[in-house]
Amino acid sequence: MFTKLAAPILLLAALIGPAVAAEPLPAAIAASGESVVLSVHAEGAQVYECKAGTDGKLAWAFREPIATLFAEGKTIGRHYAGPNWEHADGSAVAGKAIGNAPGTTAADIPWLKLDVTAHRGSGVLTPVTTVQRINTHGGKLDGACDKAGEFKSAPYSADYVFLKKG
């Protein structure tokens, strides 16, 4: 009986193994020496505004993100302009981008590394020093805009990893 079960189990392990192995992050957004505080999935939109560029031509300019943060299928917070991330426990962080890497496809917003520049409240996000945005899908907006002041949003999803030094 053992030998009949062993082969399928070993085959399954071989198939699953490489799929779950984490690939190293691009150097520009890696955070070596930091440990994970929280990982969440975000679903939302990147909001753009039609504005005149330095050349005077109208183009879509990024304005802000609006997203819901999920962990284990439950809503646990939100992400919005700043950029800010707010947890349901009242803790929040704001960040500033310090590194980026291209998304997987041309339609995906870049992966980011952000330094935390401010903390609010007390809770799970209190010790966070770095935020990574990875596994982005969508969010880029292309095409012409006709009227200054118009807004348009592009749906996106991403994973946010909250880290602390040490």
Side-chain angles (χ1 to χ4, degrees):
M1 183 66 131
F2 176 75
T3 55
K4 285 184 180 178
L5 286 176
I9 290 171
L10 289 173
L11 177 62
L12 184 61
L15 292 173
I16 292 174
V20 295
E23 298 211 8
L25 292 175
I29 65 161
S32 58
E34 297 190 44
S35 58
V36 175
V37 173
L38 177 69
S39 289
V40 301
H41 180 70
E43 293 280 341
Q46 298 284 307
V47 180
Y48 295 84
E49 183 176 359
C50 185
K51 287 184 166 183
T54 53
D55 59 2
K57 294 180 182 172
L58 292 177
W60 293 110
F62 175 71
R63 181 182 169 98
E64 63 188 328
I66 301 172
T68 301
L69 305 178
F70 299 95
E72 299 173 7
K74 296 181 179 148
T75 299
I76 58 116
R78 63 192 188 115
H79 172 44
Y80 54 93
N84 286 278
W85 295 265
E86 192 173 285
H87 193 276
D89 69 6
S91 61
V93 293
K96 178 183 178 183
I98 59 166
N100 70 72
T104 307
T105 73
D108 302 334
I109 54 176
W111 293 19
L112 296 177
K113 178 180 180 182
L114 303 102
D115 264 349
V116 170
T117 57
H119 291 84
R120 293 185 314 281
S122 182
V124 72
L125 298 180
T126 301
V128 173
T129 54
T130 304
V131 180
Q132 292 169 319
R133 178 176 75 189
I134 61 172
N135 303 326
T136 57
H137 183 74
K140 279 198 178 170
L141 185 63
D142 290 322
C145 60
D146 318 322
K147 186 176 163 198
E150 258 185 350
F151 295 97
K152 201 169 196 178
S153 61
Y156 92 106
S157 65
D159 293 326
Y160 289 97
V161 182
F162 299 90
L163 304 139
K164 66 178 180 180
K165 299 210 185 315

